[in-house]
Amino acid sequence: MQQPVEFHNFFSDIVDPMPADKSAMGGLPTAGFQYCEALTAASAHGYYVFPPCDATIRWDGDRFEMQMTDGWQRFSQVTLSEESLASWHRAAPPEHQDRLPPFLQRFFIPDTIQVFTGLFVTAAPGWAIKVRPIANVRGNSRFLIYEAIVEADLFKPVPLFVNIKALSIDAVFDFERFTPFLQIEPVQKDAYRKALAKTVHPGREDDASQFPWDGLKETTRIFSGDASSLELGVYKKRVRAAQRSNDA
């Protein structure tokens, strides 16, 4: 079965995307990991994407700088490694030799920089990708990674990049090529293009008898002082049983 999203990696020195981890790279609390299916499902949704190389950048309040062996140096853009450039030139047709985006590029907004992961993405009809920070992992508090949804079925092959905003002067951001910094989630376009939810008002404008009261004892837990009365992992058991039934 063909996957709805494909990552295209031309470069042997860039780490391939990997399935996201339900433990959020080992950072979830043990109780959350063991009992909270909702938490682990969100953590494991999609794929981790890695930076194309190691780099340290800083926003000095006016321009972005990169840490070099002789100190900080301002830049307008930074290309991928020589090895990556050579790989691209070997694979790309002559008319596309100069179409490889830079690794880092100044944005038209002064405190924001565009980061290219080195990957290209295509999607099957009806599918898009959501680009976001890694779920349930505390990132760099001095930078904001903007989230985006890209319709990679229409605009393809789309270079996978992200915009990062500095939130304070002298904010430093480290890119480590073996540490993921983005999570890419395949999403069906109908999920955000159409109105899929509504709000009702039981007991006010709507009939309260239509509320699913029968399930309330299972979905809510009221602690009465006796810990033995609290059954843990009820939601997880229900979801796992449904999954087994669907797979059968």
Side-chain angles (χ1 to χ4, degrees):
M1 175 180 172
Q2 184 179 4
Q3 299 299 320
V5 172
E6 289 187 346
F7 298 101
H8 304 262
N9 184 359
F10 288 86
F11 314 110
S12 60
D13 59 335
I14 294 179
V15 180
D16 284 342
M18 62 177 285
D21 174 23
K22 65 180 181 179
S23 74
M25 302 195 298
L28 290 186
T30 302
F33 177 73
Q34 182 172 355
Y35 296 114
C36 189
E37 182 74 10
L39 185 64
T40 58
S43 300
H45 184 210
Y47 298 84
Y48 291 152
V49 168
F50 299 77
C53 59
D54 295 324
T56 297
I57 62 172
R58 179 176 70 179
W59 165 250
D60 67 3
D62 180 45
R63 296 278 295 275
F64 278 97
E65 305 171 313
M66 173 173 283
Q67 190 172 43
M68 312 295 286
T69 55
D70 57 348
W72 294 97
Q73 180 177 325
R74 289 185 171 186
F75 65 88
S76 295
Q77 66 177 35
V78 177
T79 63
L80 294 175
S81 69
E82 291 295 329
E83 182 178 347
S84 292
L85 293 175
S87 297
W88 177 261
H89 291 150
R90 285 193 297 270
E95 64 271 23
H96 298 297
Q97 291 283 311
D98 62 348
R99 302 300 299 178
L100 182 65
F103 163 41
L104 302 174
Q105 183 165 294
R106 286 180 57 197
F107 209 52
F108 62 86
I109 303 172
D111 61 358
T112 302
I113 192 168
Q114 191 171 91
V115 182
F116 174 49
T117 63
L119 303 173
F120 293 85
V121 183
T122 58
W127 286 84
I129 57 169
K130 181 177 181 180
V131 183
R132 56 159 298 163
I134 295 178
N136 297 319
V137 172
R138 185 179 185 275
N140 188 325
S141 62
R142 303 182 74 184
F143 282 83
L144 171 67
I145 295 179
Y146 285 106
E147 299 190 20
I149 293 177
V150 183
E151 299 195 356
D153 61 337
L154 300 177
F155 191 72
K156 63 181 181 182
V158 59
L160 181 55
F161 65 85
V162 67
N163 297 320
I164 301 180
K165 174 185 175 68
L167 300 178
S168 63
I169 296 174
D170 290 333
V172 174
F173 195 101
D174 291 311
F175 296 98
E176 300 176 357
R177 59 186 293 258
F178 294 112
T179 301
F181 76 120
L182 296 177
Q183 191 158 336
I184 307 302
E185 299 174 344
V187 293
Q188 290 186 298
K189 288 157 66 169
D190 282 349
Y192 61 89
R193 280 188 169 183
K194 296 181 179 179
L196 300 179
K198 66 176 182 179
T199 301
V200 296
H201 305 98
R204 294 160 56 197
E205 297 146 14
D206 301 294
D207 184 359
S209 66
Q210 299 303 309
F211 184 76
W213 296 104
D214 291 343
L216 202 59
K217 288 184 178 180
E218 187 176 48
T219 61
T220 59
R221 294 192 301 162
I222 307 301
F223 183 54
S224 61
D226 180 8
S228 63
S229 66
L230 295 178
E231 183 181 359
L232 299 177
V234 173
Y235 172 79
K236 179 178 181 178
K237 292 176 183 178
R238 173 72 68 85
V239 171
R240 293 290 179 87
Q243 289 174 346
R244 289 192 294 269
S245 177
N246 291 335
D247 292 342

